[in-house]
């Protein structure tokens, strides 16, 4: 069995230059920036007041100042500040020539066009030109665009940016016992949760998906579906049919088409039967049929692949928290990812019954990793939690 870290390394080494497109920044949330962004201007482009008050020269030790003008944000100052004078200024307004300090309004009193100083101002309260960014500075590197990046892009005056074109993803579920939600269940049948779960996980990465539905346990039918999915999609996800049972046709169907199986079976729990292959330039994941396994392997392996095909390395969101109760494992031969709930900096173990226990995913907000060879973790230990 391949160690899951080695499987991740295989995926992270994939070098595929993504296609790119220009989009409006208002549509960029969740997309992958495909280029470095350099500042075309100083930020701020002029020195400005950090608060409401009076603009003066820091060299001026006067106790009262004649007010020569009032400057609102967006206005250009008309007067120069000289000894004994000041300008009434609003937050964000341009500092007038000759001034380099703002005395906050609450430290002053205004009488008959004069500002009287009631208390000494120790701070300058000015945001200096270029203090945040200098023209030519690198502002953003390629990566996933969050709301804060949208704000940064807008602050630079950009209307359009170049982003990676997300790879189309196909989703196939296998199993004669499956029925789609909304259909009546016969005896021995279950609803297909993996199909829609995988479509939702794909959509959360901002990749388009095509759902091919359920393929019954038939080798020829499965091979036809894989062939079609490989032609139409850059990544194909199959759930079920990857173990060693009599009706587990995924590995054979891939090889029947001339595909190359890169790895099959991982030292991971859940998700041991996971398969990764390539066929005609498309990547194929064979995922276990149990829904927690499918969910976890998508997070650990599929998501990094999708981001590699968009030109970046996936960085999962990790927080540190301490364990509320000890963990004991009966077997430590595999790396285990266990769903947990984190609250108030504490990790709470859930009543997890194994990889078929789909409901646990709705209770969990993180995964903890327990490495091979570790069978006990003490209460109070600090662990990394992968947020989901």
């Amino acid at each position: 069995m391949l160690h899951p870290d080695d499987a991740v390394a295989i995926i992270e080494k994939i070098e595929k230059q993504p296609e790119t497109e220009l989009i409006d920044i208002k549509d960029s949330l969740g997309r992958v920036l495909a280029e470095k962004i350099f500042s075309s201007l100083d930020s701020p482009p002029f020195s400005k007041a950090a608060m409401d008050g009076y603009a003066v020269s820091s060299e001026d030790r006067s106790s009262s100042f004649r007010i020569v003008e009032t400057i609102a944000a967006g206005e250009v100052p008309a007067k120069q500040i000289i000894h004994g004078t000041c300008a009434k200024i609003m937050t964000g307004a341009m500092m007038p020539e000759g001034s380099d300090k703002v005395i906050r309004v609450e430290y002053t009193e205004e009488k008959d066009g004069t500002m009287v100083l009631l208390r000494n101002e120790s701070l300058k309260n000015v945001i200096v030109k270029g203090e945040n960014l200098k023209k030519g500075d690198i502002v953003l590197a390629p990566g996933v665009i969050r709301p804060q990046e949208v704000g940064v892009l807008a602050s630079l005056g950009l209307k359009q940016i170049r982003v990676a074109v997300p790879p189309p993803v196909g989703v196939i579920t296998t199993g004669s016992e499956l029925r789609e939600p909304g259909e009546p269940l016969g005896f021995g049948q279950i609803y297909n949760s993996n199909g829609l779960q995988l479509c939702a996980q794909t959509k959360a990465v901002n990749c388009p998906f095509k759902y091919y539905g359920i393929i019954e346990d038939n080798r020829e039918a499965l091979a036809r579906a894989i062939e079609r999915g490989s032609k139409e999609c850059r990544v194909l996800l199959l759930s079920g049919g990857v173990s060693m049972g009599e009706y587990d046709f995924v590995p054979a169907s891939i090889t029947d088409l001339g595909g190359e199986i890169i790895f099959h079976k991982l030292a991971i729990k859940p998700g041991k039967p996971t398969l990764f292959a390539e066929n005609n330039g498309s990547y194929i994941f064979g995922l276990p049929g149990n829904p927690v396994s499918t969910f976890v392997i998508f997070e650990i392996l599929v998501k990094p692949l999708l981001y590699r095909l968009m030109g970046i390395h996936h960085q999962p969101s990790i927080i540190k928290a301490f364990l509320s109760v000890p963990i004991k494992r009966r077997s430590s031969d595999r790396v285990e990812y266990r769903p947990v709930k984190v609250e108030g900096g504490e990790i709470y173990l859930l009543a997890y019954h194994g990889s078929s226990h789909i409901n646990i995913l709705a209770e969990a907000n993180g995964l903890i990793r327990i490495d091979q060879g570790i069978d006990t973790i003490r209460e109070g230990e600090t662990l990394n939690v992968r947020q989901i």
Side-chain angles (χ1 to χ4, degrees):
M1 290 187 293
L2 185 69
H3 194 283
D5 289 350
D6 294 329
V8 172
I10 289 170
I11 288 167
E12 291 292 351
K13 287 178 182 175
I14 290 173
E15 294 291 345
K16 299 287 184 181
Q17 192 67 28
E19 294 181 32
T20 64
E21 61 181 346
L22 281 172
I23 63 168
D24 195 294
I25 66 166
K26 66 180 174 57
D27 302 317
S28 66
L29 183 64
R31 299 294 299 272
V32 172
L33 183 65
E35 60 186 351
K36 290 181 180 179
I37 300 294
F38 296 87
S39 180
S40 60
L41 43 76
D42 292 326
S43 176
F46 50 83
S47 295
K48 61 183 182 178
M51 58 180 60
D52 294 342
Y54 297 87
V56 300
S57 167
S58 59
E59 302 296 320
D60 194 338
R61 307 302 180 189
S62 302
S63 58
S64 64
F65 300 80
R66 181 170 58 88
I67 302 170
V68 296
E69 67 175 326
T70 298
I71 311 168
E75 293 182 349
V76 177
K79 304 289 186 178
Q80 181 178 356
I81 300 304
I82 60 174
H83 183 81
T85 67
C86 70
K88 192 171 185 178
I89 194 166
M90 310 304 158
T91 302
M94 181 184 294
M95 295 290 290
E97 186 180 349
S99 70
D100 63 352
K101 179 178 181 176
V102 173
I103 300 173
R104 68 190 79 186
V105 69
E106 55 265 38
Y107 286 9
T108 67
E109 183 178 55
E110 188 175 325
K111 292 180 181 180
D112 301 323
T114 299
M115 179 271 284
V116 178
L117 188 62
L118 301 178
R119 179 178 170 184
N120 287 329
E121 175 64 77
S122 60
L123 302 176
K124 288 198 170 183
N125 302 317
V126 174
I127 305 172
V128 177
K129 177 183 177 181
E131 179 178 315
N132 299 327
L133 278 175
K134 296 284 194 301
K135 185 177 179 179
D137 284 351
I138 295 176
V139 183
L140 295 174
V144 179
I145 298 171
R146 303 168 297 170
Q148 47 267 55
E149 277 81 32
V150 175
V152 169
L153 292 165
S155 75
L156 298 173
L158 296 173
K159 179 174 173 56
Q160 290 187 316
I161 53 167
R162 187 163 293 280
V163 297
V165 175
V169 178
V171 176
I172 297 173
T173 52
T174 70
S176 300
E177 79 281 10
L178 298 177
R179 290 296 177 269
E180 296 290 14
E183 296 178 355
L185 283 181
F187 187 69
Q189 296 175 341
I190 61 172
Y191 284 122
N192 170 26
S193 62
N194 283 349
L196 294 182
Q197 177 178 281
L198 286 169
C199 289
Q201 286 179 283
T202 300
K203 187 175 181 179
V205 185
N206 270 285
C207 289
F209 62 86
K210 184 167 186 177
Y211 180 49
Y212 292 95
I214 300 167
I215 305 298
E216 294 189 353
D217 294 317
N218 177 285
R219 183 165 171 171
E220 290 75 22
L222 183 58
R224 288 195 298 271
I226 293 173
E227 183 175 31
R228 179 187 173 192
S230 296
K231 289 178 179 177
E232 295 177 348
C233 301
R234 189 73 185 280
V235 178
L236 188 60
L237 308 178
L238 300 102
S239 69
V242 292
S243 296
M244 301 297 291
E246 188 173 343
Y247 294 101
D248 292 324
F249 296 129
V250 169
S253 297
I254 292 171
T255 54
D256 286 348
L257 295 169
E260 176 193 1
I261 295 177
I262 299 170
F263 60 74
H264 187 193
K265 293 185 182 178
L266 302 177
I268 192 171
K269 180 181 180 181
K272 177 182 174 182
T274 298
L275 173 149
F276 182 54
E278 189 172 3
N279 183 51
N280 290 328
S282 293
Y283 294 100
I284 302 172
F285 270 105
L287 307 174
N290 280 327
V292 179
S293 299
T294 300
F295 182 91
V296 168
I297 296 301
F298 187 100
E299 292 297 312
I300 304 302
L301 295 177
V302 179
K303 189 180 285 187
L305 174 66
L306 297 179
Y307 280 123
R308 283 306 300 131
L309 296 178
M310 289 186 275
I312 64 171
H313 293 278
H314 173 55
Q315 299 295 330
S317 179
I318 302 291
I319 61 171
K320 290 186 179 294
F322 66 90
L323 195 59
S324 61
V325 294
I327 293 176
K328 294 184 182 294
R329 291 204 295 172
R330 285 177 294 184
S331 174
S332 61
D333 62 331
R334 288 183 280 166
V335 175
E336 182 177 359
Y337 285 89
R338 186 176 296 189
V340 297
K341 183 175 182 179
V342 179
E343 196 170 67
E346 191 168 355
I347 300 167
Y348 295 93
L349 300 186
L350 302 171
Y352 176 44
H353 305 306
S355 59
S356 66
H357 189 187
I358 186 172
N359 305 74
I360 204 70
L361 294 173
E363 299 179 46
N365 59 9
L367 299 171
I368 58 170
R369 169 174 164 151
I370 308 172
D371 284 321
Q372 282 178 310
I374 295 176
D375 54 21
T376 302
I377 303 177
R378 296 188 304 274
E379 177 184 351
E381 282 199 39
T382 299
L383 303 179
N384 289 330
V385 183
R386 188 185 190 115
Q387 294 184 285
I388 57 174

